[in-house]
Amino acid sequence: MIRCVRHTAAFFLVLLVALLLNAARVQVLQAGAYDDNPANRRSALARYGRPRGDILVGGNPVTGSRDSGGRLRYERTYRQGPLYAPVTGYASQLYGTSLVEHAEDGILSGTDSRLAPFPLWAELTHGRQPGGRVATTIDPAAQRAAFDGLGGKKGAVAAVEPASGRILALVSTPSYDPGALSGTGSQTTAAWRRLNRDSGRPMVDRALRQTYPPGSVFKVVTAAAALDGGQVTDIDAPTDTPDPYVLPGSSTRLTNEDEAGDCAHATLRYAFRVSCNTVFAHLGVEVGLPGMVRAAERFGFNDDGLKIPVRVARSVFDTEMDRARLALSSIGQYDTAATPLQMAVVAAAVADDGEVRPPYLVDRVLDSRGRTVATASVEPPRQAVRRTTARRLQELMTDVVTSGTGTAAALDGATVGGKTGTAQHGERGEGTPYAWFISWARAQDAARPAVAVAVVVEDAAADRADISGGGSAAPIAREVMRAALR
């Protein structure tokens, strides 16, 4: 009898162990797969069963939550949606998340284990806390100045603080109201279709995700390579550059936009001030492909891994090309392409004595009670160009604003450096040019620059002859700098 009891007890013990092992397998190892299964509605019900945490700009929320009373109860709302859409992105029950809403989804939805009193236990059990908050680095005044400056034009603005890498403004126009994508009704579906069919592509974040030919603003990089490489030792000495300049290995004659300018054998200072294509194409060839690639990559080109924490599109400087194409790439044409954020980083590096600081958009994350959970992980700076080279570039860029093509960016009470650009695009350059302007500003009583800005305007409605970096983009940069200096 006792033997039978023992056998029965052992049998049930085996069953109990098997039950516990299977429960652990389901709860721990396979929980993620079950959570992600589209047929599992419990996850979605839990996700939208409580308000989502807020995204903060200048300490104030630019998002909110609305109780819809439905099964997916809380819908996302946005304050000044079009103004901040290139920062927040959208959070939609039907179409998922984008930008900061996506990159910080764990904090905002309450699933990030850092929000829990016992993070390890929360990670094992996949517990959900009240949504945390994400404080961005955006300066509301700079953001507003950039948005109003672009107005109805298609384009983008990126502004950073050179000494830290903090992103002060990210604007992309035309924009959209991300609140139109919240909810589950037919109006949400209609809004999604309308936005995706819009020829202006309002949901494309042009500041982060769109690359453009940088045109003449890339000449800052070429000048840096020539100064660092020793191809130019005196910025006031004539360069050995004919006008027009015949591209190496071809019969193509490169000329200059401003035929009134005298670019033949011009000095680097003069060539920079009036933006001589011939001089910079020649300098790029003199530096050579390896030197130009190294210079571009020190500023951040060809980097696939930049996250702010939103992923940023790769800016490109080709690593394989002949000398004729190298000449064109050195003036920001051919396959050279850059995001507005990348060109703001170039301007910031020049302004801050050659140091590149990785840009970042999230300053800190907080739990629902306002307790700081994590602060920005700031990477150490790297030297893009020698300090002496950066100082010469600062001088050249200041000349552009005081007496060159960028006078529209000048500000009273501040030292401003800038570079204009007008980038051809289209298969044969037949498209309306993009107007560029990159700049930085330092208050006269300040030791370091306060802001670096990149503006691109792709105004297809404008008369081709009216498009210029100095005329279309520089005034926008000026207002962003003015706002950041206050």
Side-chain angles (χ1 to χ4, degrees), residues 278-415:
T278 49
V279 170
F280 286 94
H282 181 216
L283 280 179
V285 173
E286 290 291 299
V287 172
L289 181 60
M292 283 299 301
V293 170
R294 283 196 298 272
E297 292 185 347
R298 282 197 297 266
F299 278 106
F301 281 77
N302 298 338
D303 181 357
D304 288 317
L306 179 59
K307 289 184 177 179
I308 61 169
V310 175
R311 181 173 288 281
V312 180
R314 178 176 183 259
S315 297
V316 177
F317 187 83
D318 261 3
T319 57
E320 295 181 5
M321 51 186 152
D322 61 26
R323 297 208 308 159
R325 288 168 176 161
L326 173 60
L328 294 175
S329 296
S330 300
I331 58 173
Q333 298 289 349
Y334 184 53
D335 280 347
T336 305
T339 62
L341 180 62
Q342 172 60 64
M343 294 315 301
V345 169
V346 170
V350 171
D352 202 38
D353 288 346
E355 289 192 344
V356 169
R357 287 176 169 75
Y360 63 98
L361 180 60
V362 173
D363 187 55
R364 64 191 190 282
V365 294
L366 311 96
D367 64 15
S368 61
R369 294 168 295 175
R371 181 176 59 90
T372 298
V373 172
T375 55
S377 177
V378 180
E379 298 178 31
R382 63 178 187 276
Q383 199 73 31
V385 294
R386 295 186 185 127
R387 178 167 296 191
T388 53
T389 295
R391 295 277 171 89
R392 287 176 174 171
L393 291 170
Q394 290 170 14
E395 187 179 341
L396 295 174
M397 293 182 75
T398 304
D399 278 356
V400 170
V401 174
T402 56
S403 58
T405 54
T407 54
L411 281 170
D412 291 336
T415 301

Side-chain angles (χ1 to χ4, degrees), residues 20-76:
L20 291 174
L21 288 175
N22 190 53
R25 179 178 66 84
V26 172
Q27 293 290 333
V28 178
L29 299 180
Q30 296 184 332
Y34 285 118
D35 284 343
D36 295 338
N37 192 320
N40 181 6
R41 298 291 291 166
R42 294 184 61 186
S43 177
L45 293 173
R47 178 183 176 86
Y48 297 106
R50 61 177 62 181
R52 189 172 172 84
D54 283 324
I55 298 172
L56 311 179
V57 172
N60 298 311
V62 296
T63 58
S65 294
R66 184 179 71 86
D67 187 350
S68 68
R71 295 191 68 197
L72 302 180
R73 186 171 170 181
Y74 285 96
E75 298 177 356
R76 197 56 148 165

Side-chain angles (χ1 to χ4, degrees), residues 60-305:
N60 298 311
V62 296
T63 58
S65 294
R66 184 179 71 86
D67 187 350
S68 68
R71 295 191 68 197
L72 302 180
R73 186 171 170 181
Y74 285 96
E75 298 177 356
R76 197 56 148 165
T77 60
Y78 296 87
R79 301 169 188 173
Q80 305 179 77
L83 173 62
Y84 291 112
V87 176
T88 62
Y90 58 80
S92 168
Q93 282 101 328
L94 295 180
Y95 303 109
T97 53
S98 69
L99 300 178
V100 169
E101 292 277 27
H102 179 75
E104 298 292 350
D105 184 64
I107 291 290
L108 297 167
S109 65
T111 58
D112 193 307
S113 60
R114 291 175 294 175
L115 297 172
F118 304 102
L120 181 60
W121 176 251
E123 197 154 330
L124 289 172
T125 60
H126 301 276
R128 188 181 293 273
Q129 306 296 321
R133 290 184 281 176
V134 175
T136 70
T137 59
I138 293 295
D139 177 336
Q143 183 81 1
R144 170 57 71 182
F147 189 78
D148 290 347
L150 283 169
K153 298 172 184 173
K154 187 185 294 184
V157 176
V160 301
E161 183 180 68
S164 65
R166 296 172 66 241
I167 295 174
L168 303 176
L170 278 180
V171 167
S172 175
T173 55
S175 189
Y176 69 104
D177 184 358
L181 301 178
S182 300
T184 57
S186 58
Q187 71 278 9
T188 304
T189 307
W192 177 260
R193 288 175 179 167
R194 173 175 51 78
L195 290 169
N196 278 284
R197 289 172 181 167
D198 192 323
S199 60
R201 300 190 302 157
M203 288 198 294
V204 173
D205 192 327
R206 291 176 167 83
L208 302 178
R209 301 282 178 81
Q210 179 77 48
T211 61
Y212 298 87
S216 293
V217 293
F218 188 80
K219 291 170 183 171
V220 175
V221 177
T222 304
L227 288 165
D228 256 5
Q231 283 75 25
V232 174
T233 55
D234 182 353
I235 61 175
D236 293 311
T239 59
D240 184 21
T241 309
D243 182 11
Y245 172 64
V246 179
L247 300 182
S250 76
S251 57
T252 302
R253 292 154 58 93
L254 181 68
T255 59
N256 294 290
E257 287 285 328
D258 183 5
E259 296 180 356
D262 184 7
C263 290
H265 308 293
T267 66
L268 181 61
R269 186 190 298 275
Y270 180 84
F272 200 91
R273 186 187 303 151
V274 304
S275 205
C276 297
N277 286 338
T278 49
V279 170
F280 286 94
H282 181 216
L283 280 179
V285 173
E286 290 291 299
V287 172
L289 181 60
M292 283 299 301
V293 170
R294 283 196 298 272
E297 292 185 347
R298 282 197 297 266
F299 278 106
F301 281 77
N302 298 338
D303 181 357
D304 288 317

